[in-house]
Structure formats: structure tokens, C-alpha cells
Amino acid sequence: MDCYKPAEIAVKVEEAGVGKAVMASDKTILLALLAGAFIGFGALFYTLVTTGSTLGFGPTRLLGGMAFSLGLILVIIGGAELFTGNNLIVMAWADRKVTTTQLARNWSIVYAGNLVGALATAVLVVWSGVLDLNNGAVADNATAIAKGKLDLSFFQAFFRGVLCNVLVCLAVWLSFAATRVSGKILAIIFPITAFVGAGFEHSVANMYALPVAMLSGNMPIDVAGSITNLVAVTAGNIIGGGVFVALVYWMIYLRPAR
């Protein structure tokens, strides 16, 4: 076979989780900054390609989802530390190869690094004038995207976060099956396109999407609303990736036989 079997993927994901948990803090921070920027690039690409689209709702979402896949492709192929993907460390934690302290340390550092990287990307995008393209239509689209996120109720944002990270972590899981770069990219595209097309919520993407709209001057700065959204989506992402993917696969493939 030209790919790893699911049981082999489980071992590889667990080993990767252990490596992430013991990685030096300075390296983790830098890789987390990169991941925040990479996801910001994916969100920007989504905004650009969906601006002014006349393809209709479904095809536009399909195109936008494929564009957003750039973010995770950069993370996986280029190498970076993404909070949502790192929810898979739960496999190593469940197997007692990573302590609760190590898990919390990694998630805290990576989450903070992702936030700074995404915010910095948002600032640079605004300063670059990219949002002014198409007579300001890109900025209008970015604003509409952000408003749609803030209009969600807490529970809607939470459950969209759950569903999102099920697909994101499955994309990461599938990428471990591939032995070639082309295979990893193909494994990533379809799950990510599905979550974006369905309108699910990704905490790190929102770290870029909300600030970039507010910094554009098209909508008021809403710190409280942004924090509420991120809390709900982050909690959902943890459940979706950590429980519904990592813990379930651990129970299937790695749990010790009784």
C-alpha cells in the first residue's frame, strides 16, 4: 500500500503528540506564530475568491473552502503548530505518554502564538491595502464574514466549533496516512473545504477574520463580542478534535486490552 493503515496512523499521531508536548518553548512559540499567519493567509484567500462571486451559494462556498485549505496545507507541509490540530495530542495524553501539565502547556503556548500570528497578519493585510481591491468590495466581504460570526449565538458558535474541528483533525489524521506531499495535500483539501463550505467555526481563523474587519474601519471594534465568540468556538474545537476524533481513535486503536 502507498499509505499507512488507520492503526499505523494512530501510532504516528500519538508519537507526534509526544514530540509536540516536549518541544522547547521558544521553538513552539515561533511555530505557533507561523500557524496563526498561515491560517490568516487561508482566510484572506477565502475572502478574495468569494468576493463578488456570481456562482451561487453552493459553488461559491466550494470555491472558498478550497481556497481556505491553503492555511492547513501550509501548516502541515511547511511545518507549524496549530491549536486545533494539536487537540490530537489528547491521544498521547489518554495513553499517559503526555501529562496534563504538558498538554495544558502546549495548548496555552500554541493558542497564544496563533493569536499573535493571526492578529499580526490582520494588521499587515489592512496596511497593505488588499482590502481596497475591487473598489473596496473585499473589505465589504470581510466585514460581512465577521458580522456573520458575531451574530451567532453562543451555542451556535460552540456546536459549529465542534463540527469544524472534527473535520480539521480528520484532515490532519488523513495527512498522516499519505507518504507523499501530493497525497497529504489531497487529504487536507476535502475535509477543510467541507467545514468551510458548511460555515463551521475555527477559532484561529476567527482570530484573523474578526480583527481584520474591525481594523478595516467598516465595523466598530467589539472586544466583548469577539471574546465571547472565541470562547465558544475554542471550547467547541477542543471537544470536536480532542474527544470526537483523538479520544475515539485512541479507544479504537491504542487503548490497552483488558
Coordinates of all heavy atoms in Angstrom, one line a residue, residues 9 12-13 16 20 72-73 75-76 80 82-89 165-178 184 187-189 191-192 202 245 249:
I9 N -1.6 4.9 11.6 CA -1.8 6.4 11.7 C -1.9 6.8 13.2 O -1.3 7.7 13.7 CB -3.0 6.9 11.0 CG1 -2.9 6.6 9.5 CG2 -3.3 8.3 11.2 CD1 -4.2 6.9 8.7
K12 N 1.5 7.0 14.8 CA 2.2 8.1 14.3 C 1.7 9.4 14.9 O 2.4 10.3 15.3 CB 2.1 8.2 12.7 CG 2.9 7.1 12.0 CD 2.7 7.1 10.5 CE 3.3 8.3 9.9 NZ 4.8 8.3 10.0
V13 N 0.3 9.5 15.0 CA -0.3 10.7 15.6 C 0.1 10.8 17.1 O 0.5 11.9 17.6 CB -1.8 10.7 15.4 CG1 -2.4 11.8 16.3 CG2 -2.2 10.9 14.0
A16 N 3.7 11.9 17.3 CA 3.8 13.3 17.0 C 3.4 14.2 18.2 O 3.9 15.2 18.5 CB 3.0 13.6 15.8
K20 N 5.4 17.1 20.3 CA 4.9 18.4 20.4 C 4.9 18.8 21.9 O 5.2 20.0 22.3 CB 3.5 18.5 19.8 CG 3.4 18.4 18.3 CD 2.0 18.4 17.8 CE 1.9 18.3 16.3 NZ 2.4 19.5 15.6
L72 N -4.2 25.2 6.1 CA -3.7 23.9 6.7 C -2.6 23.3 5.9 O -1.8 22.6 6.4 CB -4.9 23.0 7.0 CG -4.6 21.8 7.8 CD1 -4.1 22.2 9.2 CD2 -5.8 20.8 8.0
I73 N -2.7 23.4 4.6 CA -1.6 22.9 3.8 C -0.3 23.5 4.2 O 0.7 22.8 4.3 CB -1.9 23.2 2.3 CG1 -3.1 22.3 1.8 CG2 -0.6 22.9 1.4 CD1 -3.5 22.7 0.4
V75 N 0.5 24.7 7.1 CA 0.8 24.3 8.4 C 1.4 22.9 8.4 O 2.4 22.6 9.0 CB -0.5 24.2 9.3 CG1 -0.2 23.5 10.6 CG2 -0.9 25.7 9.6
I76 N 0.7 22.0 7.6 CA 1.2 20.6 7.6 C 2.5 20.4 6.8 O 3.4 19.7 7.2 CB 0.1 19.7 7.0 CG1 -1.2 19.7 7.9 CG2 0.6 18.2 6.8 CD1 -0.9 19.2 9.3
A80 N 4.2 23.9 11.2 CA 3.8 24.9 12.2 C 3.0 24.2 13.3 O 2.5 23.1 13.1 CB 3.0 26.0 11.5
L82 N -0.4 24.4 15.2 CA -1.8 24.9 15.2 C -2.6 24.4 16.3 O -2.7 23.1 16.5 CB -2.4 24.6 13.8 CG -3.9 25.1 13.6 CD1 -3.9 26.6 13.6 CD2 -4.4 24.5 12.3
F83 N -3.3 25.2 17.1 CA -4.0 24.8 18.3 C -5.0 23.7 17.9 O -5.1 22.7 18.6 CB -4.7 26.0 18.9 CG -5.7 25.6 20.0 CD1 -5.2 25.2 21.3 CD2 -7.0 25.7 19.8 CE1 -6.1 24.9 22.3 CE2 -7.9 25.3 20.8 CZ -7.5 24.9 22.0
T84 N -5.8 23.9 16.9 CA -6.9 23.0 16.6 C -6.3 21.6 16.2 O -6.9 20.6 16.7 CB -7.8 23.5 15.5 OG1 -6.9 24.0 14.4 CG2 -8.6 24.7 15.9
G85 N -5.3 21.6 15.5 CA -4.6 20.3 15.1 C -4.0 19.7 16.3 O -4.0 18.4 16.5
N86 N -3.5 20.5 17.2 CA -2.8 20.0 18.4 C -3.8 19.4 19.4 O -3.4 18.8 20.5 CB -2.0 21.0 19.1 CG -0.7 21.2 18.4 OD1 -0.5 20.8 17.2 ND2 0.3 21.9 19.0
N87 N -5.1 19.5 19.2 CA -6.1 18.8 20.0 C -5.9 17.3 19.9 O -6.4 16.6 20.8 CB -7.5 19.2 19.6 CG -7.9 20.6 20.0 OD1 -8.8 21.2 19.5 ND2 -7.1 21.3 20.9
L88 N -5.2 16.9 18.9 CA -5.0 15.4 18.7 C -3.9 14.9 19.7 O -3.8 13.7 19.9 CB -4.5 15.2 17.3 CG -5.5 15.2 16.2 CD1 -4.8 15.1 14.8 CD2 -6.5 14.1 16.3
I89 N -3.3 15.8 20.4 CA -2.3 15.4 21.5 C -3.1 14.6 22.6 O -2.5 13.8 23.3 CB -1.6 16.6 22.1 CG1 -0.8 17.3 21.0 CG2 -0.7 16.1 23.2 CD1 -0.1 18.5 21.5
N165 N -13.8 21.2 14.1 CA -12.6 20.6 14.4 C -12.6 19.1 14.3 O -11.6 18.4 14.3 CB -12.1 20.9 15.8 CG -10.6 21.0 15.9 OD1 -9.9 21.3 14.9 ND2 -10.0 20.8 17.0
V166 N -13.8 18.5 14.2 CA -13.9 17.1 13.8 C -13.3 17.0 12.4 O -12.4 16.1 12.1 CB -15.4 16.6 13.8 CG1 -15.5 15.3 13.0 CG2 -15.9 16.5 15.2
L167 N -13.7 17.9 11.5 CA -13.2 17.8 10.1 C -11.7 18.2 10.0 O -10.9 17.7 9.3 CB -14.0 18.7 9.2 CG -15.4 18.1 8.9 CD1 -16.3 19.1 8.2 CD2 -15.3 16.8 8.0
V168 N -11.3 19.3 10.8 CA -9.9 19.7 10.8 C -9.0 18.6 11.2 O -8.0 18.3 10.6 CB -9.7 21.0 11.6 CG1 -8.2 21.3 11.8 CG2 -10.4 22.2 11.0
C169 N -9.3 18.0 12.4 CA -8.5 16.9 12.9 C -8.5 15.6 12.0 O -7.5 14.9 11.9 CB -8.9 16.6 14.3 SG -8.3 17.8 15.5
L170 N -9.6 15.4 11.4 CA -9.7 14.3 10.4 C -8.8 14.6 9.2 O -8.1 13.7 8.6 CB -11.1 14.1 9.9 CG -12.0 13.3 10.9 CD1 -13.4 13.3 10.4 CD2 -11.5 11.9 11.2
A171 N -8.7 15.9 8.8 CA -7.8 16.3 7.7 C -6.3 16.0 8.2 O -5.5 15.5 7.4 CB -8.0 17.8 7.4
V172 N -6.0 16.4 9.4 CA -4.7 16.1 9.9 C -4.4 14.6 10.0 O -3.3 14.1 9.6 CB -4.5 16.8 11.3 CG1 -3.1 16.4 11.8 CG2 -4.6 18.3 11.2
W173 N -5.4 13.9 10.5 CA -5.3 12.4 10.6 C -5.0 11.8 9.2 O -4.1 11.0 9.1 CB -6.6 11.9 11.2 CG -6.7 10.4 11.3 CD1 -7.2 9.6 10.3 CD2 -6.4 9.6 12.4 NE1 -7.1 8.3 10.8 CE2 -6.7 8.3 12.1 CE3 -5.9 9.9 13.7 CZ2 -6.5 7.2 12.9 CZ3 -5.7 8.8 14.6 CH2 -6.0 7.5 14.2
L174 N -5.8 12.2 8.2 CA -5.7 11.7 6.9 C -4.3 12.0 6.3 O -3.7 11.2 5.5 CB -6.8 12.2 6.0 CG -8.2 11.7 6.3 CD1 -9.2 12.4 5.3 CD2 -8.3 10.2 6.1
S175 N -3.8 13.2 6.6 CA -2.5 13.6 6.1 C -1.4 12.7 6.6 O -0.4 12.5 5.9 CB -2.2 15.1 6.4 OG -1.8 15.2 7.8
F176 N -1.6 12.1 7.8 CA -0.6 11.2 8.3 C -0.6 9.9 7.5 O 0.4 9.1 7.5 CB -0.9 10.9 9.8 CG -0.2 11.8 10.7 CD1 -0.9 13.0 11.1 CD2 1.0 11.6 11.2 CE1 -0.3 13.9 12.0 CE2 1.6 12.5 12.1 CZ 1.0 13.6 12.5
A177 N -1.7 9.6 6.8 CA -1.8 8.4 6.0 C -0.9 8.4 4.8 O -0.4 7.4 4.3 CB -3.2 8.1 5.6
A178 N -0.7 9.6 4.3 CA 0.0 9.8 3.0 C 1.5 9.7 3.2 O 2.1 10.2 4.2 CB -0.4 11.1 2.3
K184 N -0.7 14.2 0.9 CA -1.1 15.0 2.1 C -2.0 16.2 1.7 O -2.9 16.5 2.4 CB 0.2 15.5 2.8 CG 1.0 14.4 3.4 CD 2.2 14.9 4.1 CE 3.1 13.8 4.8 NZ 2.4 13.1 5.9
A187 N -5.4 14.9 0.9 CA -6.1 14.5 2.1 C -6.6 15.7 2.9 O -7.7 15.6 3.6 CB -5.1 13.7 3.0
I188 N -6.0 16.8 2.8 CA -6.4 18.0 3.5 C -7.5 18.7 2.9 O -8.5 19.2 3.5 CB -5.2 19.0 3.7 CG1 -4.1 18.4 4.6 CG2 -5.6 20.4 4.1 CD1 -2.8 19.1 4.6
I189 N -7.5 18.8 1.5 CA -8.4 19.7 0.8 C -9.9 19.4 1.1 O -10.7 20.3 1.4 CB -8.2 19.7 -0.7 CG1 -6.9 20.4 -1.0 CG2 -9.3 20.3 -1.5 CD1 -6.4 20.4 -2.4
P191 N -11.7 17.6 3.6 CA -12.3 17.9 4.9 C -12.4 19.4 5.2 O -13.4 19.9 5.7 CB -11.4 17.2 5.9 CG -10.8 16.1 5.0 CD -10.6 16.7 3.7
I192 N -11.3 20.1 4.8 CA -11.3 21.6 5.0 C -12.3 22.3 4.2 O -13.1 23.2 4.7 CB -9.9 22.2 4.8 CG1 -8.9 21.5 5.7 CG2 -9.9 23.7 5.0 CD1 -9.2 21.6 7.2
H202 N -13.8 28.0 13.2 CA -12.5 27.7 13.5 C -11.9 28.8 14.3 O -11.8 29.9 13.9 CB -11.7 27.5 12.2 CG -10.3 26.9 12.4 ND1 -9.2 27.7 12.7 CD2 -9.8 25.6 12.3 CE1 -8.1 27.0 12.8 NE2 -8.5 25.7 12.6
V245 N -12.5 13.0 17.8 CA -11.5 12.4 16.9 C -10.4 11.7 17.8 O -10.3 10.4 17.7 CB -10.9 13.4 16.0 CG1 -9.8 12.8 15.1 CG2 -12.0 14.0 15.1
Y249 N -10.4 7.6 18.4 CA -9.4 6.8 17.8 C -8.5 6.1 18.8 O -8.0 5.0 18.5 CB -8.6 7.6 16.8 CG -9.3 7.7 15.4 CD1 -9.4 8.9 14.7 CD2 -9.8 6.5 14.8 CE1 -10.0 8.9 13.4 CE2 -10.3 6.5 13.5 CZ -10.5 7.8 12.9 OH -11.0 7.8 11.6

